[in-house]
Amino acid sequence: MKGLTLNCLGRKDEAYDHVRRGLRNDLKSHVCWHVYGLLQRSDKKYDEAIKCYRNALKWEKDNIQILRDLSLLQIQMRDLEGYRETRHQLFKLRPSQHASWIGFAMSYHLLGDYETAMNILETFLSSQTMDTFDYKHSELLLYQNSVIQEAGQHEQALQHLKNCGAQILDKLAVQESMGALCLKLGRHEEAETIFKALIDRNPDNTEYYRRLMEARQLSEPAELIEAYRAMQGEYPQSFCARRLPLDIATGDTFRALVDEHLRRNLRKGVPPLFVNLRSLYRDAEKVKIIGKLVECYYQNLMSSGYFSAEDAANPDVRKEPASALLWTMYYLAQHYDHLRESEKALDFINAAIEH
């Protein structure tokens, strides 16, 4: 035990010396072997640590703590067969414990024996008697559902969620899983309803929009852009509904969309605008369009205070706020920095600081 304490103080050589002396005094002591294993584990010598734990179990085969430590190392070293045996032993020793059942089921799940894993979870859940469903029970049901999905039984997984949905506290996870399963099963109308409800709940999740378009079976760029346009009307505050069409659009359509997007965000002063658009910089054509537009804004804002000459000539359009010029210079500095034109980037960021 002194060796263990010295190890925690960082005095490793002394620690090993004490633990070895302990072992020399009694080679049949499970405590000495266990502590030796803990030292090896702290030095990341996992194979040696496993040997020490196995030696400890020779003399004390039903020690729960040693079995737990061994199972953790086995899963870390991907010894899945050994992990299953250890979890089985722990299960036999403590069959009333929640964790024993889960660990036992998980060992079969990791080995790809989904049928046995599902049977263990089903048996455990049927033995539970409770009036109110707590978070632990809710997570267990979600785990059971993920095992059913991995087994490729999508129809059964969907039915399971419908039957147990009331007992699961994480309603968002239930909806997301049901939507994904409906898409896999080709139930597009059902999936569309689910993802529409999810967008109502969070209109800035890009994955929901993509899944909704998949449910509507839209694949042509023109159709997708039209659909996103409609979403912009429905969710005027949503950033995603305006940003996602830029990935799909090309040519003049892209120019019109990105022009609108840039003006809106430069006017509002959105600092991460460049970070948000950086994924478009993989396309050389789009980089040219963005560069030309923002350069144009800069020159017009400097000369007239408007984004374009057309705006300046239109009496109904108000002048842009003074900060619009600042954010335009900031964007140009990031734009040129990304293109490795450091001199230009420095000029713009210095001008922004002076402003």
Side-chain angles (χ1 to χ4, degrees):
M1 296 314 287
K2 186 173 180 183
L4 198 55
T5 311
L6 285 165
N7 187 52
C8 294
L9 290 168
R11 291 154 67 178
K12 289 193 181 294
D13 293 339
E14 289 175 73
Y16 273 107
D17 181 50
H18 277 77
V19 173
R20 286 186 184 120
R21 275 162 59 194
L23 269 174
R24 277 199 292 273
N25 281 327
D26 184 4
L27 267 172
K28 292 184 179 180
S29 164
H30 69 277
V31 176
C32 289
W33 280 112
H34 189 191
V35 172
Y36 195 28
L38 292 173
L39 252 65
Q40 300 277 16
R41 188 180 74 183
S42 72
D43 277 347
K44 297 187 169 59
K45 295 175 183 169
Y46 300 126
D47 288 326
E48 293 300 316
I50 287 174
K51 284 177 195 167
C52 293
Y53 291 154
R54 289 201 185 282
N55 275 327
L57 288 167
K58 275 184 199 168
W59 312 114
E60 184 82 10
K61 65 175 189 293
D62 291 342
N63 187 303
I64 300 263
Q65 191 53 53
I66 301 173
L67 284 165
R68 272 203 199 117
D69 284 345
L70 175 61
S71 73
L72 282 171
L73 275 188
Q74 283 170 327
I75 200 162
Q76 189 167 333
M77 300 302 286
R78 302 292 186 272
D79 174 14
L80 299 177
E81 292 285 351
Y83 177 72
R84 182 181 61 188
E85 286 166 29
T86 309
R87 289 312 314 189
H88 187 212
Q89 215 169 330
L90 277 164
F91 173 71
K92 285 193 291 189
L93 290 169
R94 290 281 171 87
S96 59
Q97 271 194 354
H98 199 267
S100 298
W101 286 85
I102 311 288
F104 191 35
M106 200 169 81
S107 66
Y108 280 100
H109 173 201
L110 291 170
L111 281 164
D113 188 348
Y114 302 115
E115 200 62 45
T116 311
M118 287 191 285
N119 289 340
I120 293 166
L121 289 169
E122 196 53 57
T123 309
F124 176 60
L125 284 163
S126 59
S127 68
Q128 299 285 91
T129 50
M130 52 175 74
D131 302 323
T132 55
F133 301 107
D134 61 359
Y135 189 71
K136 198 156 63 170
H137 178 74
S138 158
E139 288 297 298
L140 180 57
L141 287 169
L142 281 174
Y143 173 57
Q144 185 187 20
N145 191 263
S146 73
V147 176
I148 300 170
Q149 285 189 47
E150 280 185 46
Q153 300 176 10
H154 302 313
E155 187 68 59
Q156 194 183 328
L158 184 61
Q159 199 52 51
H160 176 261
L161 284 173
K162 286 178 180 174
N163 296 342
C164 304
Q167 301 172 28
I168 298 172
L169 303 178
D170 189 347
K171 302 298 178 196
L172 182 63
V174 173
Q175 271 191 295
E176 286 175 348
S177 294
M178 284 177 80
L181 286 165
C182 286
L183 280 178
K184 282 175 184 168
L185 291 165
R187 299 184 187 177
H188 294 108
E189 282 179 28
E190 219 174 311
E192 185 180 346
T193 310
I194 292 168
F195 285 112
K196 190 75 179 63
L198 284 167
I199 292 172
D200 287 340
R201 178 185 172 133
N202 177 7
D204 275 314
N205 186 314
T206 53
E207 192 55 31
Y208 296 164
Y209 285 94
R210 290 198 179 102
R211 293 295 180 93
L212 180 67
M213 298 309 162
E214 196 183 327
R216 287 179 176 171
Q217 294 170 280
L218 303 176
S219 56
E220 291 299 315
E223 292 175 340
L224 286 164
I225 290 165
E226 193 55 48
Y228 281 121
R229 280 278 195 207
M231 301 297 271
Q232 288 168 21
E234 273 184 80
Y235 307 101
Q237 298 304 316
S238 168
F239 198 85
C240 287
R242 294 173 190 284
R243 171 65 186 81
L244 287 169
L246 300 180
D247 292 329
I248 308 153
T250 51
D252 291 339
T253 312
F254 174 76
R255 183 188 298 277
L257 288 172
V258 83
D259 184 24
E260 185 189 324
H261 189 73
L262 284 164
R263 288 187 190 210
R264 180 187 173 87
N265 288 286
L266 291 170
R267 188 177 293 129
K268 281 170 73 177
V270 176
L273 175 61
F274 176 78
V275 176
N276 184 262
L277 295 179
R278 191 164 52 199
S279 59
L280 299 173
Y281 277 59
R282 289 192 288 263
D283 186 326
E285 193 57 42
K286 289 183 178 181
V287 175
K288 271 189 208 164
I289 293 170
I290 293 170
K292 276 184 191 167
L293 281 171
V294 187
E295 279 281 7
C296 242
Y297 299 158
Y298 171 66
Q299 274 152 29
N300 283 305
L301 285 166
M302 287 290 278
S303 60
S304 65
Y306 289 94
F307 277 128
S308 66
E310 291 80 23
D311 286 356
N314 187 343
D316 298 333
V317 177
R318 286 192 306 180
K319 257 192 175 186
E320 301 302 336
S323 62
L325 175 60
L326 169 75
W327 292 113
T328 303
M329 289 191 281
Y330 181 59
Y331 186 91
L332 281 167
Q334 290 176 294
H335 170 80
Y336 285 118
D337 181 42
H338 186 81
L339 299 177
R340 299 279 183 273
E341 294 183 34
S342 305
E343 290 293 325
K344 276 188 177 179
L346 267 172
D347 291 344
F348 277 114
I349 202 65
N350 285 330
I353 290 166
E354 280 169 36
H355 184 288

